[in-house]
């Protein structure tokens, strides 16, 4: 594919469509009770039109999902600074920015919304009941420990964003495993919520399956230590 521009472009387009379709199918199966909306278009404060890949509404929770099907180039895999930084900007920073921007839009417009899509009827939903927002970037490429250790990327200077400006990043295959093992919808939401809190408040080293094993062991329950590291309790 790399040697043929037309074929390479078609391949990249197919990767993107495949990822978006797989994510939508995964969340529909994982949360059969949820209201799920794909491809919502909306206008930001700057007047530009943006698009959200997937919005999953479960009671007061909103999972805001952005898909990134970009690949990790051979130079990036070898640790070339410029290529590595560009890769993580595309696969982690960009979906984070998109998800958090849409969350801000939803928070500032707590009402009945009607958002356009590329094809088909508009997405209509009520944003007023939403209280908890979980941004999530899903990649087709597996980033290993790098994708699940955002604080380490910040410390290494790979990204200049703060931890608050980065959404949880997980590969499609890892997310499939998490959703397959955590059978209850409540467990899945709890895992994603606590997963984001962990990343923002403590230092750890491990990949997504290490985190899943930790969750299965004690539900990310750190006991009395939570008061010292700043975990907050949900109503």
């Amino acid at each position: 594919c790399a040697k043929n521009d037309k074929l390479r472009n078609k391949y990249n387009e197919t990767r993107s469509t495949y990822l978006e379709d797989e994510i939508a199918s995964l969340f529909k199966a994982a949360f059969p009770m949820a209201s799920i909306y794909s491809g919502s278009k909306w206008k930001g404060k700057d007047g530009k039109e943006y698009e959200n890949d997937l919005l999953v509404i479960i009671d007061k929770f909103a999972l805001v999902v952005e898909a990134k099907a970009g690949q990790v180039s051979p130079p990036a895999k070898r640790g070339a600074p410029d290529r590595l930084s560009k890769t993580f900007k595309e696969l982690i920073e960009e979906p984070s920015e998109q998800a958090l921007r849409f969350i801000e839009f939803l928070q500032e417009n707590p009402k009945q919304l009607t958002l356009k899509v590329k094809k088909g009827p508009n997405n209509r939903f009520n944003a007023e009941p939403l209280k908890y927002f979980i941004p999530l970037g899903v990649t087709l490429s597996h980033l290993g420990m790098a994708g699940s250790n955002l604080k380490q990327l910040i410390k290494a200077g790979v990204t200049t964003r703060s931890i608050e400006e980065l959404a949880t990043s997980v590969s499609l295959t890892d997310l499939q495993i998490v959703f397959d093992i955590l059978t209850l919808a409540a467990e899945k939401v709890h895992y994603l919520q606590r997963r984001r809190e962990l990343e923002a408040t403590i230092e750890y080293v491990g990949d997504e399956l290490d985190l899943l094993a930790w969750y299965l062991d004690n539900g990310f329950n750190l006991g009395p230590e939570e008061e010292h590291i700043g975990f907050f309790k949900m109503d």
Side-chain angles (χ1 to χ4, degrees):
C1 292
K3 296 180 180 180
N4 184 306
D5 289 343
K6 186 176 293 187
L7 186 60
R8 184 177 66 250
N9 291 337
K10 182 65 176 178
Y11 171 69
N12 288 333
E13 290 174 4
T14 303
R15 282 174 59 92
S16 179
T17 302
Y18 168 80
L19 180 58
E20 291 177 9
D21 290 345
E22 284 296 301
I23 290 173
S25 297
L26 180 62
F27 275 89
K28 286 176 182 177
F31 301 102
M33 77 299 293
S35 298
I36 298 179
Y37 307 93
S38 299
S40 298
K41 293 180 177 292
W42 55 282
K43 281 191 176 182
K45 296 178 181 179
D46 54 7
K48 294 181 180 179
E49 186 176 67
Y50 297 99
E51 182 177 352
N52 165 247
D53 289 329
L54 195 71
L55 173 64
V56 182
I57 296 178
I58 311 159
D59 194 34
K60 297 180 180 181
F61 286 82
L63 309 181
V64 178
V65 186
E66 296 293 344
K68 281 298 175 182
Q71 302 177 70
V72 182
S73 66
K77 290 179 181 179
R78 292 193 297 268
D82 292 342
R83 294 299 303 172
L84 187 62
S85 180
K86 182 179 179 181
T87 296
F88 281 110
K89 178 178 177 61
E90 177 186 351
L91 299 182
I92 294 180
E93 288 188 12
E94 289 181 11
S96 297
E97 183 178 340
Q98 293 165 1
L100 293 173
R101 187 190 294 121
F102 189 48
I103 287 175
E104 183 180 14
F105 171 79
L106 295 175
Q107 291 174 326
E108 293 180 351
N109 293 275
K111 58 184 179 181
Q112 187 70 37
L113 295 173
T114 300
L115 304 180
K116 296 180 179 179
V117 298
K118 287 182 180 178
K119 295 180 181 179
N122 294 339
N123 287 335
R124 292 183 171 87
F125 59 91
N126 186 11
E128 185 176 2
L130 301 179
K131 302 297 181 185
Y132 307 106
F133 300 86
I134 305 175
L136 183 66
V138 181
T139 62
L140 191 53
S141 295
H142 196 284
L143 304 180
M145 291 177 62
S148 55
N149 290 261
L150 299 182
K151 273 193 171 184
Q152 300 298 323
L153 295 182
I154 295 171
K155 289 176 66 175
V158 176
T159 176
T160 57
R161 302 293 178 88
S162 67
I163 192 66
E164 292 78 17
E165 296 175 302
L166 296 175
T168 298
S169 178
V170 60
S171 70
L172 174 63
T173 50
D174 280 349
L175 190 60
Q176 288 170 332
I177 293 171
V178 170
F179 282 3
D180 188 41
I181 291 180
L182 301 180
T183 55
L184 299 180
E187 289 179 320
K188 297 178 178 71
V189 173
H190 186 250
Y191 176 86
L192 294 174
Q193 175 73 13
R194 294 285 288 183
R195 166 81 166 74
R196 179 162 174 75
E197 293 170 8
L198 273 179
E199 206 153 36
T201 52
I202 68 172
E203 299 280 351
Y204 63 84
V205 176
D207 61 20
E208 195 66 41
L209 299 188
D210 290 324
L211 292 172
L212 176 59
W214 183 7
Y215 184 81
L216 292 172
D217 185 42
N218 63 12
F220 290 150
N221 180 17
L222 303 180
E225 291 302 315
E226 291 190 16
E227 296 181 6
H228 301 298
I229 60 178
F231 270 144
F232 59 88
K233 296 180 180 179
M234 295 184 294
D235 296 333

